[in-house]
Amino acid sequence: MSAGAEPLSLRLKVWRQDDEGSDGRFEKYDLAGISADASFLEMLDLLNERLTLEGKEPVAFESDCREGICGTCGLMINGRAHGPQQGTATCQLHMRQFSDSAEITVEPWRAAAFPVIRDLVVDRSAFDEIITAGGYISINTGAAPDANLTPIPKEAAEASFDAAACIGCGACVAACPNSAAQLFTSAKLQHLNLLPQGQAERWARTEAMVEKMEEYFGSCTNHGECSVACPKDISIDFIAWTNRDYIKAKFNNRKLLGGR
Amino acid sequence: MIGELRSRSPDGPIEERWSEHKFNLRLVNPGNRRRFSLIVVGTGLAGATAAASLGEMGYKVSVFTYHDSPRRAHSIAAQGGINASKNYKNDGDSTFRLFYDTIKGGDYRSRESNVYRLAEVSSNIIDQCVAAGVPFAREYGGMLDNRSFGGAQVSRTFYARGQTGQQLLLGAYSALMRQVASGSVELHTRTEMLDLVVIDGKAAGIVTRNLLTGEIRAYSAHAVILATGGYSNVYFLSTNARMCNVTATWRAHRRGALFANPCFTQIHPTCIPPSEDFQSKLTLMSESLRNDGRIWVPRSHDDERPPGEIPEIERDYYLETKYRSFGNLVPRDVASRNAKSVVDEGRGVGPRRNGVYLDFSDAIARDSTEAVSAKYGNLFDMYERITGEDPYKVPMRIYPAVHYTMGGLWVDYNLMSNLPGLFVLGEANFSDHGANRLGASALMQGLADGYFVIPATISDYLADLLGTQPTPPTHAAFGESVAETEDRTARLLANKGSLTVDHFHRELGKIVWDCCGMARNAAGLKKALSDIPALNEEFHSNVLVPGSAVTLNQALERAGRVADLFELAELMMRDALVREESCGGHFREEHQDAEGEALRDDENFSHIAAWEWAGNRNAPVFHREQLEFETVAPTKRSYK
Ligand SMILES: Cc1cc2nc3c(=O)[nH]c(=O)nc-3n(C[C@H](O)[C@H](O)[C@H](O)COP(=O)(O)OP(=O)(O)OC[C@H]3O[C@@H](n4cnc5c(N)ncnc54)[C@H](O)[C@@H]3O)c2cc1C
Ligand code: SF4
Ligand code: FES
């Protein structure tokens, strides 16, 4: 067990940037006495306490739940989205993953669709735009039938869930050489497209969300980095399913329009 | 001054009250709804569903959140599940039983009418969520699965792996974004409410700060709905998300809204114990783990042996021996207090001796590793990431942590506060859970409030306002509030002190935890009542807030929130001090029986304590709402 392990000394290289318009730069900080049981963000908290007391501006970075579920946190750590541990959001990463005297580079997500707001904070509202384009089932409050009216095969429910587990962090975009958002969009689409409740709007939803995505993000060329970086291990298969749905959607939606 | 507190609870047979009441409420016809503008603050389960439902009905809704996206509200973190009395398991559940369990679980400190309504709409919530695409767990036949959850003797909890909160919130968020797309809801992200504007005693709007530009401005509406969550972070260390705070409801309180039962806070028994001094928050391990894990500590004090080397007869499965019928499934407050007492005795486990074991070896032997992993896999992984220990091999270590706040702004049966036009939903209000909340009931309440209660009750208030415009933000009251808010922010920044915001927050948290945590007594509470104002004064004179007012400034955001937590903390102590009884999460050491069980005092304390702000220098004014129990006679809670 790691409690009682020797505290770590670290050299940090942290991206600092005043706002979207200004040039950024790396700044170096040496930090000693970090407990191996501390989380990565607690290490940054400590850095910020120190900077504040020295009369400097603390590093802006975002987090909220610190349990790997809200998707607020997200840093490039030594060039990897969310850092070295597979299937782990930045807030769940602990310092026992690093060795003493390690040099750690910390950067924000880098993608044209995620402009830097300040230091390590980026604007991910393009994700909300994709949802607004069609990431829902149109059912008004009060209009729902009994929940057990439609049995949902366990396999369908599980597959849908595997997609629904996406926390909207943006690591997939940050890890992608093209800054594509295919993994996020596919996770959101397949969550609904795989469920019986999601069928009525399946084709319209697919077309709308994919095309909204293309307004903001780059194109997918099947690198697969997204899935590796994803803290929720969202499978790249969902992208294939979405591509298939999209082709069908184009066909079906056009037929619908033609028939009108 | 506030007259008699009118709960507006309907009379008549309890099963008919909600339908009767709805029938008697005044309506706003569909064509007129777009003439009403409504403000909703908060996009958790309560706020997102309220905004979406009201938008669908045709109201003009503006919704505010300090998060960058509605999907990140703290509701996202709920793990275990949501209750509903569907009785899909045919094990004798019913609306009445869920009502009864909630009243009893709340230790007879909640309103019967509200609780019955909650149980009544619970089934519709599940229907609504499933229709919206929430992927709840299913059985092989394709039907919904249920499990039994903390303290319940029936299986009524619906769940979605260990991330029920995320799946429910994604459902609510998608409904909200659908309304944003349709234009009925205007969404303001990264915008924090810093004041409530009250004109002629009625809620008229809010003042907000744009967290990116620092702009402080006013918004007006016909009614304001707060769904801003709980205040567990007054303890600094809690299971709540880091940004959770009390500012929205506290600012409303300072403008006249009554704060009810602030001392009713809940400690969750199964959290990971703190491991280092710079710990920033505590992590909950879902209560569902108590269904299969067995809780124990060594029989002898300061036992240094690793758990595997402690033979069976030297282990004390203290909940199983003390509470024969409920065992490890006793309610949260009971489980928490018992953990505290074994740790206080010196029988705690782990490197800091600050936990008890939650052991799965019997469950694994009985059901297989795979079966245990299928149920709890993600929780086990999470535990391992945090502690570096593998719970399939070594028992988990757990300890109670602050988790939920039953107290909140006082509301009537319509969820309206004593200020007309101010409605409060979800964890932010005080209703429904009494002195202790049952597991899986907060999600239920948030969704009940947002989906079904507010859409029905708000029209009764609005009906009178038909044909009127909201007071324009040019009205002097808005200007004054904007100026005061700007001034507060400027003063925090101008202060060139020598200690950080987090330092003060941590110190405040220690006082609140020690004096108003799992056990409270008069001496400690009185001491806190002098320590908190002293620390608060030091905070205002010696806090160091770096940065500027016109850019993203997280230290400034935190400073404002901590300032309000200080004031709330003081009110909690007062409330805890005058409640001379033990009930639910409020355990006064002076009021216990010979076996250490809580002694409730129904004769003197069967009421809601609702506090009125009386200015910075004056003690708050106490108001009482007497509770009537017509359907369930209060009895001593016994889980033996
Ligand atoms: C770790 C954890 C696990 C839990 N598990 C369960 C469970 O299994 N079952 C269960 O029933 N309950 C559970 N709970 C409790 C439950 O999650 C919460 O009580 C519930 O989700 C609260 O929902 P809400 O909508 O009231 O508020 P929240 O979800 O807290 O949302 C508050 C919203 O208000 C906004 N806000 C707040 N203040 C301001 C302001 N000043 N200006 C602008 N916006 C503001 C925030 O941005 C946010 O959008 C759990 C809680 C925790 C901490
Ligand atoms: S797909 Fe994975 S990496 Fe991308 S936003 Fe979702 S959780 Fe994050
Ligand atoms: S802070 Fe919520 S996922 Fe990391």
Side-chain angles (χ1 to χ4, degrees):
Chain A
M1 101 140 282
S2 53
E6 288 300 308
L8 310 173
S9 293
L10 307 166
R11 161 150 293 194
L12 299 174
K13 233 174 86 186
V14 181
W15 185 257
R16 306 298 310 257
Q17 182 172 337
D18 289 342
D19 51 39
E20 190 184 340
S22 35
D23 291 336
R25 67 213 173 268
F26 279 108
E27 282 191 14
K28 286 190 177 166
Y29 307 102
D30 290 318
L31 209 55
I34 300 296
S35 159
D37 284 326
S39 72
F40 193 85
L41 297 183
E42 283 163 357
M43 182 274 292
L44 289 181
D45 289 342
L46 206 68
L47 171 68
N48 277 345
E49 288 287 291
R50 207 188 75 188
L51 291 176
T52 305
L53 293 176
E54 287 170 359
K56 299 181 184 140
E57 291 232 4
V59 180
F61 68 90
E62 287 193 289
S63 73
D64 199 25
C65 73
R66 297 203 175 187
E67 293 192 5
I69 195 75
C70 71
T72 309
C73 66
L75 301 172
M76 275 304 212
I77 300 169
N78 289 337
R80 287 191 62 178
H82 289 304
Q85 198 175 3
Q86 185 69 34
T88 304
T90 302
C91 60
Q92 293 285 83
L93 183 65
H94 280 69
M95 294 312 293
R96 65 180 77 87
Q97 300 291 329
F98 297 87
S99 51
D100 193 27
S101 323
E103 194 172 296
I104 307 176
T105 306
V106 192
E107 292 169 86
W109 287 166
R110 301 217 188 258
F114 292 165
V116 172
I117 291 173
R118 189 175 176 80
D119 297 340
L120 305 173
V121 178
V122 299
D123 177 359
R124 285 168 288 192
S125 49
F127 273 6
D128 290 319
E129 298 290 332
I130 296 175
I131 302 300
T132 310
Y136 40 75
I137 290 172
S138 298
I139 169 90
N140 279 4
T141 302
D146 184 84
N148 257 351
L149 190 66
T150 312
I152 300 183
K154 195 172 166 68
E155 302 71 43
E158 294 288 321
S160 161
F161 201 117
D162 288 341
C166 162
I167 60 173
C169 63
C172 44
V173 175
C176 174
N178 308 327
S179 302
Q182 227 84 8
L183 193 63
F184 166 80
T185 310
S186 302
K188 293 294 160 191
L189 263 173
Q190 296 308 325
H191 162 199
L192 301 177
N193 284 4
L194 288 166
L195 291 172
Q197 307 91 300
Q199 295 314 304
E201 295 163 291
R202 180 173 183 170
W203 311 118
R205 172 188 309 121
T206 305
E207 195 174 348
M209 288 174 72
V210 168
E211 288 173 7
K212 180 57 77 177
M213 169 188 81
E214 286 169 348
E215 278 177 32
Y216 289 94
F217 295 92
S219 323
C220 173
T221 46
N222 294 317
H223 281 266
E225 301 287 343
C226 49
S227 194
V228 178
C230 175
K232 296 294 147 183
D233 298 322
I234 304 290
S235 162
I236 201 158
D237 292 348
F238 291 123
I239 297 184
W241 298 2
T242 294
N243 291 340
R244 181 202 59 193
D245 277 5
Y246 183 67
I247 292 168
K248 268 197 175 165
K250 279 309 230 193
F251 180 72
N252 286 346
N253 290 345
R254 222 170 301 142
K255 217 169 59 179
L256 267 179
L257 282 178
R260 218 179 257 166
Chain B
M1 268 284 77
I2 287 132
E4 189 202 347
L5 282 179
R6 283 189 53 218
S7 74
R8 291 174 206 259
S9 292
D11 300 324
I14 192 119
E15 316 76 45
E16 291 165 20
R17 286 183 191 171
W18 177 228
S19 313
E20 270 290 306
H21 186 74
K22 273 195 293 190
F23 184 74
N24 292 326
L25 290 170
R26 286 167 300 169
L27 300 174
V28 172
N29 82 45
N32 281 332
R33 291 185 198 143
R34 70 191 138 77
R35 300 179 195 208
F36 288 106
S37 54
L38 306 175
I39 284 174
V40 177
V41 188
T43 63
L45 289 179
T49 55
S53 305
L54 293 166
E56 284 164 12
M57 292 171 77
Y59 292 109
K60 248 173 68 189
V61 181
S62 299
V63 64
F64 296 82
T65 167
Y66 56 65
H67 285 99
D68 66 322
S69 163
R71 83 162 306 284
R72 308 210 199 277
H74 171 57
S75 293
I76 203 98
Q79 300 171 353
I82 174 166
N83 288 331
S85 58
K86 283 277 194 190
N87 196 29
Y88 282 160
K89 290 280 185 183
N90 196 27
D91 58 0
D93 201 9
S94 61
T95 300
F96 193 85
R97 189 178 296 281
L98 176 53
F99 156 69
Y100 174 85
D101 288 354
T102 309
I103 288 279
K104 177 186 174 200
D107 222 356
Y108 305 94
R109 290 294 172 264
S110 44
R111 259 187 227 142
E112 283 190 340
S113 301
N114 285 56
V115 176
Y116 195 90
R117 172 176 67 191
L118 176 64
E120 191 178 332
V121 303
S122 67
S123 284
N124 294 341
I125 294 173
I126 302 303
D127 300 340
Q128 192 66 39
C129 295
V130 166
V134 173
F136 283 121
R138 296 202 172 247
E139 296 169 338
Y140 281 100
M143 298 300 168
L144 289 159
D145 193 17
N146 292 132
R147 61 186 175 199
S148 137
F149 202 72
Q153 289 183 310
V154 292
S155 288
R156 63 160 73 102
T157 305
F158 293 77
Y159 63 102
R161 293 189 195 158
Q163 43 175 276
T164 313
Q166 153 147 279
Q167 295 311 323
L168 292 173
L169 187 60
L170 290 178
Y173 159 66
S174 66
L176 175 65
M177 297 318 262
R178 177 174 156 243
Q179 293 311 306
V180 170
S182 83
S184 67
V185 174
E186 196 179 271
L187 174 64
H188 302 259
T189 56
R190 296 195 191 266
T191 309
E192 182 164 22
M193 167 190 163
L194 293 181
D195 206 358
L196 177 77
V197 179
V198 178
I199 297 175
D200 297 333
K202 292 182 182 161
I206 61 172
V207 168
T208 61
R209 178 169 182 273
N210 178 316
L211 299 182
L212 300 185
T213 64
E215 186 201 12
I216 290 175
R217 62 161 287 189
Y219 292 87
S220 72
H222 288 95
V224 175
I225 298 167
L226 300 184
T228 49
Y231 52 87
S232 294
N233 280 349
V234 68
Y235 292 87
F236 186 75
L237 284 182
S238 84
T239 63
N240 280 204
R242 289 270 288 174
M243 292 195 280
C244 292
N245 68 82
V246 78
T247 289
T249 50
W250 191 257
R251 289 283 139 194
H253 173 61
R254 290 180 58 118
R255 296 285 178 191
L258 301 183
F259 211 110
N261 299 336
C263 81
F264 286 171
T265 57
Q266 181 167 79
I267 315 282
H268 195 289
T270 52
C271 304
I272 302 178
S275 65
E276 37 103 27
D277 296 334
F278 253 83
Q279 188 98 19
S280 60
K281 72 159 298 210
L282 297 172
T283 302
L284 174 88
M285 288 281 103
S286 169
E287 176 151 48
S288 59
L289 292 167
R290 285 202 277 146
N291 286 339
D292 287 298
R294 297 181 68 196
I295 293 174
W296 63 276
V297 289
R299 285 202 181 279
S300 56
H301 292 211
D302 299 315
D303 193 328
E304 301 271 349
R305 290 172 294 179
E309 286 172 24
I310 303 179
E312 202 61 25
I313 54 160
E314 292 180 45
R315 299 176 177 192
D316 182 3
Y317 296 90
Y318 55 90
L319 290 178
E320 296 173 20
T321 38
K322 209 164 152 187
Y323 305 96
R324 290 193 176 274
S325 63
F326 282 72
N328 291 304
L329 292 175
V330 290
R332 295 175 168 180
D333 53 334
V334 180
S336 299
R337 269 199 303 283
N338 279 278
K340 174 175 161 49
S341 74
V342 296
V343 168
D344 288 352
E345 277 169 34
R347 295 197 286 148
V349 302
R352 298 182 153 211
R353 301 240 167 282
N354 59 354
V356 300
Y357 288 128
L358 178 63
D359 195 338
F360 289 87
S361 47
D362 287 351
I364 291 172
R366 184 187 67 220
D367 301 339
S368 82
T369 306
E370 292 67 42
V372 170
S373 158
K375 275 196 201 159
Y376 308 117
N378 65 328
L379 295 170
F380 278 36
D381 293 348
M382 175 147 131
Y383 181 86
E384 183 169 7
R385 266 195 293 267
I386 293 172
T387 61
E389 293 175 354
D390 176 1
Y392 292 101
K393 302 201 177 99
V394 194
M396 280 184 181
R397 287 174 293 112
I398 55 163
Y399 196 64
V402 183
H403 178 58
Y404 182 85
T405 53
M406 282 75 69
L409 291 185
W410 183 89
V411 287
D412 66 13
Y413 188 68
N414 288 342
L415 301 184
M416 187 161 83
S417 74
N418 58 303
L419 298 178
L422 177 69
F423 294 80
V424 193
L425 320 185
E427 193 174 340
N429 72 25
F430 88 102
S431 80
D432 297 11
H433 305 296
N436 176 53
R437 173 174 72 75
L438 292 182
S441 285
L443 302 179
M444 171 173 70
Q445 182 225 330
L447 290 174
D449 290 0
Y451 271 138
F452 298 113
V453 182
I454 194 73
T457 58
I458 200 163
S459 58
D460 194 59
Y461 174 72
L462 296 175
D464 276 342
L465 303 180
L466 191 63
T468 65
Q469 293 297 317
T471 316
T474 46
H475 185 284
F478 283 98
E480 278 162 32
S481 167
V482 166
E484 280 174 34
T485 307
E486 282 170 346
D487 182 55
R488 259 202 330 273
T489 311
R491 264 187 293 145
L492 284 168
L493 275 174
N495 206 7
K496 288 298 162 225
S498 62
L499 292 167
T500 62
V501 177
D502 277 11
H503 163 86
F504 285 103
H505 193 177
R506 229 174 252 282
E507 293 299 309
L508 171 67
K510 277 186 205 149
I511 301 177
V512 183
W513 175 246
D514 287 345
C515 303
C516 202
M518 269 188 278
R520 297 120 189 231
N521 61 52
L525 292 165
K526 284 184 186 147
K527 184 168 177 311
L529 272 174
S530 71
D531 290 353
I532 293 170
L535 188 65
N536 190 12
E537 219 178 288
E538 197 195 338
F539 169 77
H540 282 286
S541 62
N542 199 20
V543 70
L544 171 60
V545 184
S548 116
V550 296
T551 57
L552 175 68
N553 186 341
Q554 296 166 322
L556 179 63
E557 292 165 25
R558 283 203 299 274
R561 295 169 191 163
V562 171
D564 290 337
L565 288 171
F566 264 108
E567 295 180 1
L568 163 80
E570 217 180 306
L571 187 66
M572 280 173 73
M573 303 299 148
R574 272 181 213 284
D575 187 47
L577 189 61
V578 298
R579 192 169 277 279
E580 288 276 3
E581 64 161 349
S582 293
C583 61
H586 173 65
F587 187 77
R588 280 287 299 268
E589 287 169 344
E590 300 92 329
H591 303 287
Q592 54 181 310
D593 66 14
E595 289 166 25
E597 298 298 323
L599 279 182
R600 214 177 58 220
D601 178 354
D602 290 337
E603 203 169 313
N604 295 304
F605 291 96
S606 188
H607 62 241
I608 291 154
W611 297 90
E612 181 190 356
W613 175 258
N616 278 323
R617 273 178 247 294
N618 303 316
V621 181
F622 173 87
H623 299 267
R624 173 204 312 260
E625 181 198 327
Q626 193 63 34
L627 292 166
E628 310 292 346
F629 293 91
E630 295 165 16
T631 314
V632 185
T635 51
K636 186 173 159 139
R637 273 199 321 163
S638 169
Y639 294 95
K640 291 213 163 154

